[in-house]
Amino acid sequence: MTDFAALLLADDGAPATSLTVLAAAGFDHWLRAQGERTRSFVAAQNFKARPDEVALVPGDGPGDWAALVGGDDGPWGLAAAAAKLPAGRYRIATPPGSAALGWLLAQHRFDRYRKASGDTGARVLLTTDVGSIGETVRLAEATALVRDLVDTPAADLGPGELASAVAAEARIFGAEVDIIKGEALLTGNFPAVHAVGRAASRAPRLIDLRWGDPAHPRLTLVGKGVTFDSGGLNIKPGGAMAAMKKDMGGAAHALALARLVMQADLPVRLRLIIPAVENSISGDAMRPGDVLATRAGKSVEVTNTDAEGRLVLADALALAGEETPALLIDFATLTGAARVALGPQLPAFFANDDALAADFAAAATASGDPLWRLPLWPGYRDMLKSNIADLNNSPEGGFAGAITAALFLEAFVPAGIPWAHFDTFAWTPAARPGRPKGGEALGLRAAWAVVKRRFDGKDSMF
């Protein structure tokens, strides 16, 4: 992984190139105060201080130069500069705030499958805001973890490899991991996880990590770990299947949030639960019309084998609820309906507690990590009724698909447990500064701000 700690350093006064952030609103006033030489260089580069614009201007001495960056509030304001500027050390006049995160992530690359190329060198940012460096580096590491896991093809990231990724984090922080595999899922009472994953050549797993003092408040994170989704017998068309390596993006988010919790040594009893499966096709695949048992004792009629994520989450959420955690959060790349409603940049979230929802909304705004709350609309519960089972997994008609999926999950969360559900895309379809096309952490920073505030009692860096 990228050594982010080497890219954001405390300003030690050593020589560095000046980096000035300019807002478009005040640019003309700034420009009038500059000398003719600087104005000429700025005009030649057509620099107007618009977001993501970068320009180089001469300094006072021979060989001296400085950099100008178009201002943009939020975490991505310096991302374009970090990608475009020459390698070297840069000194910014004012503390970069959350923009330091974009500076770091703009220099991260998923290069596992690329031939090694010449190193272009690092862009190092010097800051006087020493207290924020550690938090920013940890957020960059967590985001990169999500990106790298999601970007890894399913051939190299099946249920077993996902379990290994969790175990690797557990070793770093002294956590315990229990993994239930294959037919043992039936004896362990995870029938829905087994039913979804049994058709694949790689056995399904239930990954269960525990960390922290058992006397502390319980924080439980659940992540959908479908390492590839063919759609099952309701097979997806080729275009819809192309990016389905990302269907474990919920698990990647949950693992990254768990990493942040353990790194910060929050006073919680952390539990991370990931049902890891591949939704495949074989003679043993679950069929439309099958009725599945679940850990909670509720039966589910399978009306669509491509609505498999909510099935594995049903068992995981039921397990999570058995300990009555103080807070339960799940992440899932669950529905196309959420993307149709909100697009790829704005994750939907649901909460059964208005105070919790308000915390997430405030954290999303403060952190520049947007979320949008959708309702757990009770009038749509009738859509989940089945003629032969307690529930069906995919209502007909397609109306309110993200909401009915969330209502399905809510049926497996015991009453009284504060719960939030994230329906996240985990993907950037078109590159933007600091955010290459591919896997992305959407909602992670907002969730971390809420968790940190609730259990640590301190304001987050945002």
Side-chain angles (χ1 to χ4, degrees), residues 190-348:
F190 299 101
V193 177
H194 180 270
V196 173
R198 72 190 183 207
S201 59
R202 296 183 286 187
R205 289 159 171 82
L206 192 287
I207 308 165
D208 191 354
L209 176 148
R210 295 174 185 266
W211 173 89
D213 188 340
H216 286 158
R218 296 185 183 277
L219 167 66
T220 301
L221 311 176
V222 174
K224 174 187 170 185
V226 178
T227 59
F228 189 80
D229 183 17
S230 70
L233 291 176
N234 290 113
I235 192 168
K236 294 177 182 288
M241 202 188 303
M244 281 300 100
K245 67 179 183 179
K246 78 175 188 66
D247 213 18
M248 40 59 65
H253 280 72
L255 177 58
L257 183 53
R259 175 189 174 96
L260 286 166
V261 168
M262 293 186 289
Q263 277 183 316
D265 198 25
L266 284 192
V268 298
R269 177 59 169 173
L270 173 68
R271 192 173 191 184
L272 170 67
I273 302 171
I274 295 175
V277 302
E278 182 173 344
N279 188 23
S280 192
I281 299 172
S282 74
D284 195 27
M286 64 176 178
R287 296 163 287 267
D290 284 355
V291 175
L292 304 184
T294 67
R295 183 178 184 85
K298 299 177 181 180
S299 59
V300 179
E301 180 186 5
V302 178
T303 50
N304 187 341
T305 64
D306 195 21
E308 83 299 329
R310 65 200 70 180
L311 296 175
V312 299
L313 288 172
D315 278 355
L317 289 170
L319 174 64
E322 291 168 8
E323 290 188 337
T324 316
L327 178 60
L328 171 60
I329 305 174
D330 80 73
F331 298 86
T333 52
L334 203 61
T335 68
R339 308 288 73 76
V340 171
L342 300 176
Q345 299 178 21
L346 187 57

Side-chain angles (χ1 to χ4, degrees), residues 58-434:
D60 296 331
D64 289 345
W65 56 277
L68 307 177
V69 180
D72 183 15
D73 291 338
W76 310 110
L78 292 176
K84 295 176 181 179
L85 289 173
R89 290 162 60 94
Y90 293 85
R91 174 173 289 111
I92 191 167
T94 57
S98 65
L101 180 67
W103 179 276
L104 298 183
L105 288 171
Q107 300 184 66
H108 177 69
R109 295 289 182 274
F110 180 67
D111 55 7
R112 176 173 175 174
Y113 301 98
R114 292 184 180 275
K115 183 179 178 181
S117 57
D119 185 4
T120 58
R123 288 87 168 170
V124 179
L125 186 65
L126 304 180
T127 178
T128 57
D129 187 9
V130 178
S132 70
I133 291 176
E135 177 82 346
T136 302
V137 168
R138 289 189 291 270
L139 284 169
E141 291 172 344
T143 302
L145 176 63
V146 174
R147 292 181 178 183
D148 289 355
L149 287 172
V150 173
D151 281 337
T152 303
D156 293 325
L157 188 71
E161 288 81 8
L162 185 53
S164 295
V166 174
E169 296 297 323
R171 285 192 294 272
I172 294 172
F173 300 105
E176 301 174 356
V177 179
D178 183 34
I179 298 172
I180 304 174
K181 176 181 175 182
E183 297 303 306
L185 290 166
L186 293 176
T187 56
N189 194 20
F190 299 101
V193 177
H194 180 270
V196 173
R198 72 190 183 207
S201 59
R202 296 183 286 187
R205 289 159 171 82
L206 192 287
I207 308 165
D208 191 354
L209 176 148
R210 295 174 185 266
W211 173 89
D213 188 340
H216 286 158
R218 296 185 183 277
L219 167 66
T220 301
L221 311 176
V222 174
K224 174 187 170 185
V226 178
T227 59
F228 189 80
D229 183 17
S230 70
L233 291 176
N234 290 113
I235 192 168
K236 294 177 182 288
M241 202 188 303
M244 281 300 100
K245 67 179 183 179
K246 78 175 188 66
D247 213 18
M248 40 59 65
H253 280 72
L255 177 58
L257 183 53
R259 175 189 174 96
L260 286 166
V261 168
M262 293 186 289
Q263 277 183 316
D265 198 25
L266 284 192
V268 298
R269 177 59 169 173
L270 173 68
R271 192 173 191 184
L272 170 67
I273 302 171
I274 295 175
V277 302
E278 182 173 344
N279 188 23
S280 192
I281 299 172
S282 74
D284 195 27
M286 64 176 178
R287 296 163 287 267
D290 284 355
V291 175
L292 304 184
T294 67
R295 183 178 184 85
K298 299 177 181 180
S299 59
V300 179
E301 180 186 5
V302 178
T303 50
N304 187 341
T305 64
D306 195 21
E308 83 299 329
R310 65 200 70 180
L311 296 175
V312 299
L313 288 172
D315 278 355
L317 289 170
L319 174 64
E322 291 168 8
E323 290 188 337
T324 316
L327 178 60
L328 171 60
I329 305 174
D330 80 73
F331 298 86
T333 52
L334 203 61
T335 68
R339 308 288 73 76
V340 171
L342 300 176
Q345 299 178 21
L346 187 57
F349 84 100
F350 300 80
N352 63 359
D353 179 281
D354 288 341
L356 178 62
D359 284 350
F360 276 113
T365 299
S367 65
D369 190 19
L371 299 170
W372 196 263
R373 188 187 186 187
L374 293 181
L376 291 164
W377 187 252
Y380 294 158
R381 290 195 179 105
D382 284 350
M383 295 184 186
L384 295 169
K385 289 182 177 179
S386 165
N387 291 330
I388 61 172
D390 295 320
L391 298 163
N392 79 75
N393 77 321
S394 183
E396 294 181 359
F399 287 127
I403 296 174
T404 55
L407 289 170
F408 181 92
L409 298 183
E410 185 188 32
F412 296 89
V413 177
I417 297 175
W419 164 66
H421 158 58
F422 286 76
D423 191 336
T424 183
F425 195 40
W427 192 260
T428 295
R432 293 177 290 158

